[in-house]
């Protein structure tokens, strides 16, 4: 990508994340509508940008036509480690987390119940993780990185990834935990980006993301059952 296209991606991605925050936190729409909006902004819009503006074939643009299975072993190993870290962090910090507030937010704002949480958990683990890795790492970071804008790709992608997530669960934690989450998400985003330079596509970070989400939704099941 040239400098003008880089600027277009930056503006487009910031607008998309702000729009999703507005849809979720201000409009407080149902989970189905929120998910539909995310598919539009994180999948359809970037795919159209790749095809119309960059004039590239999607699979080739994302380097999904040259997958090295051995190159994905690092993602699997770190994924297992991430599950341990997430669960350990919850055990250590659970006294600082408003578990009842989280469940209440899911039930009242997103209309999620224990019965529907099963489907939500499956979507988060496999669908949502795919959308986010395609968007933040495939569409933003790797396109920047492959265009020679290495540090811009690392910093912008990781920062946007962190702020986007913190904005979504802004009402869940105390200010101190929010700052810790922001720093943690930025570091996680940075690691995800680095991981994908080893495979030259976003599959490694997707595998890692899936494993981390398995731990997160498992904690969610625990909260639903015990509260």
């Amino acid at each position: 990508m040239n400098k003008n296209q880089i600027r277009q991606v930056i503006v487009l991605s910031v607008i998309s994340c702000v729009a999703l925050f507005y849809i979720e936190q201000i409009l407080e729409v149902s989970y189905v509508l929120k998910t539909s909006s995310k598919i539009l902004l994180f999948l359809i819009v970037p795919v159209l940008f790749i095809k119309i503006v960059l004039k590239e074939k999607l699979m080739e643009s994302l380097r999904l036509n040259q997958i090295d299975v051995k190159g994905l072993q690092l993602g699997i190993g770190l994924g297992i480690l991430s599950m341990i870290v997430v669960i350990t962090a919850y055990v250590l910090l659970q006294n600082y987390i408003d578990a009842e507030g989280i469940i209440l937010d899911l039930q009242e704002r997103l209309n999620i119940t224990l019965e529907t949480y099963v489907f939500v958990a499956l979507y988060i683990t496999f669908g949502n993780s795919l959308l986010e890795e395609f968007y933040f790492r495939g569409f933003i970071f790797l396109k920047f990185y492959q265009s020679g804008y290495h540090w811009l790709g690392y910093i912008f992608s990781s920062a946007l990834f962190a702020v986007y997530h913190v904005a979504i669960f802004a009402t869940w934690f105390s200010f101190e935990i929010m700052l810790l989450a922001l720093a943690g998400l930025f570091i996680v985003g940075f690691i995800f980006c680095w991981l994908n330079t080893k495979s030259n596509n976003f599959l490694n970070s997707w595998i890692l993301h899936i494993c981390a989400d398995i731990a997160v939704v498992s904690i969610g099941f625990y909260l639903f059952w015990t509260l």
Side-chain angles (χ1 to χ4, degrees):
M1 292 192 293
N2 55 44
K3 288 184 178 180
N4 184 52
Q5 291 169 336
I6 292 289
R7 285 193 290 266
Q8 289 175 351
V9 171
I10 290 175
V11 172
L12 181 64
S13 58
V14 169
I15 291 175
S16 295
C17 288
V18 170
L20 283 176
F21 172 76
Y22 181 79
I23 290 170
E24 176 157 345
Q25 294 290 348
I26 307 301
L27 297 182
E28 297 186 354
V29 300
S30 68
Y31 196 81
V32 173
L33 288 176
K34 188 198 79 166
T35 300
S36 299
S37 300
K38 194 168 188 176
I39 292 173
L40 171 64
L41 295 172
F42 274 17
L43 179 62
I44 297 177
V45 170
V47 165
L48 291 176
F49 187 91
I50 290 173
K51 288 182 170 293
I52 297 174
V53 179
L54 300 183
K55 302 185 186 306
E56 297 176 351
K57 294 181 179 179
L58 185 62
M59 297 297 285
E60 293 179 2
S61 179
L62 298 174
R63 305 295 196 273
L64 295 178
N65 60 331
Q66 39 184 278
I67 299 174
D68 179 14
V69 177
K70 290 185 178 180
L72 302 179
Q73 293 176 350
L74 185 58
I76 296 173
L78 290 177
I80 295 173
L81 178 62
S82 73
M83 295 173 68
I84 298 172
V85 170
V86 169
I87 294 175
T88 301
Y90 171 73
V91 172
L92 294 176
L93 299 173
Q94 59 182 318
N95 292 333
Y96 301 94
I97 298 174
D98 182 9
E100 292 185 2
I102 293 174
I103 297 302
L104 189 63
D105 181 60
L106 293 176
Q107 291 174 332
E108 294 187 350
R109 182 167 59 87
L110 298 176
N111 299 316
I112 296 174
T113 64
L114 176 59
E115 292 72 21
T116 59
Y117 184 74
V118 175
F119 302 101
V120 172
L122 288 173
Y123 162 72
I124 289 175
T125 303
F126 300 102
N128 184 70
S129 61
L130 176 59
L131 286 176
E132 292 186 358
E133 291 312 311
F134 162 75
Y135 191 73
F136 290 106
R137 256 64 69 174
F139 177 58
I140 298 176
F141 170 70
L142 283 176
K143 299 307 293 182
F144 283 26
Y145 189 87
Q146 292 160 357
S147 300
Y149 298 91
H150 295 182
W151 283 108
L152 177 61
Y154 271 111
I155 294 173
F156 179 71
S157 173
S158 302
L160 191 64
F161 177 72
V163 172
Y164 163 74
H165 278 85
V166 169
I168 286 178
F169 50 69
T171 61
W172 291 6
F173 310 122
S174 65
F175 179 72
E176 293 77 10
I177 296 296
M178 285 293 294
L179 289 179
L180 183 62
L182 183 64
L185 283 165
F186 179 83
I187 293 172
V188 166
F190 210 90
I191 293 173
F192 279 10
C193 290
W194 168 79
L195 188 59
N196 287 330
T197 64
K198 305 304 176 183
S199 58
N200 208 28
N201 55 51
F202 68 86
L203 294 183
N204 251 328
S205 64
W206 185 31
I207 292 172
L208 175 53
H209 201 148
I210 287 174
C211 292
D213 280 346
I214 289 174
V216 171
V217 299
S218 297
I219 293 171
F221 273 116
Y222 171 75
L223 294 179
F224 262 111
W225 275 108
T226 56
L227 295 179

